[in-house]
Amino acid sequence: MTNSKHEADVAARRMDRAQGRGGVFELPSPFPGEPGIVRLLEPAFSQAEELSERLVSGEYRKPFVLEHEGMCALYFGSLRFQQSAMQMAAPHALEVAYTQGMMAFLLFNPRPRAMTLLGLGGGSLAKFCYRHLPATSITVLELDPDVIAFRDVFQVPQDDSRFRVVCADAVDHVGAGAERCDVLMVDLFDEDGVAGALTRSGFYRDARAMLSGSGVMVMNIAGDKASYAPHVALVREVFDDNVIAMSVREDGNYLLFAFKNAGFEPRWKWMKSIARELQGRMGLDFPRFAQLLERGQAMRLAQRMSY
């Protein structure tokens, strides 16, 4: 999407909401075998039957929420593309395995001063970091204003002195080089897998430049190897092959950890005590993350993923 088209689209959606045409519309789930309540960003006078037909056929192109038995999930287009999930009784927990694994960056930098998240979704990672890293400044970039409009449903914190959600194109924002961070979390996908724009825009070089001297980029990788291998190869090239991959078998995903400091070497023995401390503080299995990362480095998993 070009900048001008995106900006016009964002302006139109904001105008709709300002004029009362873009509230949250609820209807019973129309999906066979998937009971619950569906929430959509539609005006109150919308026709439930028409919306139901569009949802079931896959013609509904905006994000929507399905709530059932204490779980709340964000979807795009159809139930095949779940973006985020939240347990309503524990809204700050990380329900999806790969999001837990992305927090393994803390094994390398337990006290980041600033971090940037690319992609809001249901805000799982943003909420978790906001709660557990009180000394960290957090910026979240999200292209779709409809995703941001669901922030209250998913109990994403309001903007304050150390937390903000920005409606912007992540590639453009990173390319502008207006800020620095210690941690950059990348979770950007299109219909073909990892967002293709990332290999066509100089994004990875801009991302490396955005990081502080000891910064780390954490990236979610999923989809067919043919689609993600060029991304992994480019990350390896840009970061001088100082990249470690970790497998998340529960989701079928991989995570890349790319380090700006070319001389960085993980201190695996020292990391065990850090992992136990982080596990006690945050409730995630950091000792297992450390094992998976060490195994990934030993197996040269990132290198194998790139060809």
Side-chain angles (χ1 to χ4, degrees), residues 117-133:
L117 286 67
L118 307 186
L120 174 65
S124 299
L125 281 164
K127 290 184 295 184
F128 192 86
C129 292
Y130 183 77
R131 167 166 285 205
H132 291 283
L133 301 173

Side-chain angles (χ1 to χ4, degrees), residues 73-128:
L74 180 68
Y75 293 90
F76 284 89
S78 75
L79 292 185
R80 292 184 300 135
F81 303 107
Q82 185 185 98
Q83 174 66 27
S84 189
M86 179 184 79
Q87 187 178 166
M88 298 174 70
H92 296 90
L94 294 175
E95 293 295 324
V96 182
Y98 88 83
T99 62
Q100 297 179 19
M102 290 186 83
M103 294 303 301
F105 74 83
L106 290 168
L107 294 167
F108 307 109
N109 185 350
R111 296 177 181 84
R113 294 167 297 176
M115 60 187 302
T116 300
L117 286 67
L118 307 186
L120 174 65
S124 299
L125 281 164
K127 290 184 295 184
F128 192 86

Side-chain angles (χ1 to χ4, degrees), residues 17-306:
R17 296 193 192 105
Q19 296 178 355
R21 297 198 295 266
V24 176
F25 186 87
E26 296 184 1
L27 54 82
S29 171
F31 301 107
E34 295 289 346
I37 298 294
V38 171
R39 293 189 172 91
L40 310 99
L41 296 171
E42 301 294 342
F45 54 78
S46 299
Q47 298 296 315
E49 183 176 345
E50 178 186 348
L51 289 172
S52 295
E53 290 176 357
R54 290 169 59 197
L55 284 164
V56 173
S57 68
E59 296 177 358
Y60 190 78
R61 299 302 183 186
K62 296 197 295 187
F64 65 90
V65 171
L66 176 62
E67 181 182 321
H68 180 58
E69 293 186 344
M71 292 296 297
C72 189
L74 180 68
Y75 293 90
F76 284 89
S78 75
L79 292 185
R80 292 184 300 135
F81 303 107
Q82 185 185 98
Q83 174 66 27
S84 189
M86 179 184 79
Q87 187 178 166
M88 298 174 70
H92 296 90
L94 294 175
E95 293 295 324
V96 182
Y98 88 83
T99 62
Q100 297 179 19
M102 290 186 83
M103 294 303 301
F105 74 83
L106 290 168
L107 294 167
F108 307 109
N109 185 350
R111 296 177 181 84
R113 294 167 297 176
M115 60 187 302
T116 300
L117 286 67
L118 307 186
L120 174 65
S124 299
L125 281 164
K127 290 184 295 184
F128 192 86
C129 292
Y130 183 77
R131 167 166 285 205
H132 291 283
L133 301 173
T136 303
S137 174
I138 302 168
T139 298
V140 186
L141 301 177
E142 172 57 52
L143 177 66
D144 191 340
D146 288 336
V147 171
I148 298 174
F150 278 123
R151 68 185 292 173
D152 290 344
V153 172
F154 287 94
Q155 301 184 41
V156 176
Q158 294 302 307
D159 289 8
D160 60 25
S161 60
R162 69 178 187 89
F163 181 84
R164 62 178 182 143
V165 177
V166 180
C167 187
D169 186 300
V171 173
D172 291 344
H173 186 94
V174 172
E179 61 187 61
R180 292 288 181 270
C181 62
D182 302 307
V183 179
L184 178 64
M185 305 187 85
V186 183
D187 192 9
L188 299 174
F189 289 81
D190 57 27
E191 61 273 12
D192 298 317
V194 181
L198 303 185
T199 62
R200 299 189 295 269
S201 61
F203 169 81
Y204 294 114
R205 295 191 184 280
D206 294 335
R208 187 179 186 278
M210 183 177 180
L211 292 171
S212 62
S214 59
V216 56
M217 182 182 78
V218 189
M219 184 172 179
N220 181 27
I221 301 289
D224 296 332
K225 185 175 183 180
S227 67
Y228 69 66
H231 291 270
V232 181
L234 191 51
V235 171
R236 288 180 56 209
E237 176 186 338
V238 169
F239 284 84
D240 299 319
D241 212 18
N242 202 8
V243 180
I244 301 175
M246 169 178 145
S247 173
V248 185
R249 292 187 177 179
E250 297 94 327
D251 296 334
N253 294 37
Y254 296 97
L255 301 176
L256 289 185
F257 296 79
F259 306 92
K260 184 169 185 176
N261 180 1
F264 175 78
E265 280 291 337
R267 299 165 58 189
W268 299 114
K269 292 183 178 179
W270 172 83
M271 194 179 290
K272 292 179 180 179
S273 62
I274 294 295
R276 289 192 296 269
E277 189 273 330
L278 288 169
Q279 182 181 35
R281 182 153 53 93
M282 299 186 183
L284 301 181
D285 196 352
F286 283 94
R288 178 170 173 265
F289 300 158
Q291 292 175 354
L292 290 172
L293 286 163
E294 187 174 11
R295 183 185 307 165
Q297 186 189 51
M299 293 174 57
R300 294 179 57 81
L301 181 58
Q303 289 74 15
R304 291 163 58 187
M305 290 169 60
S306 65

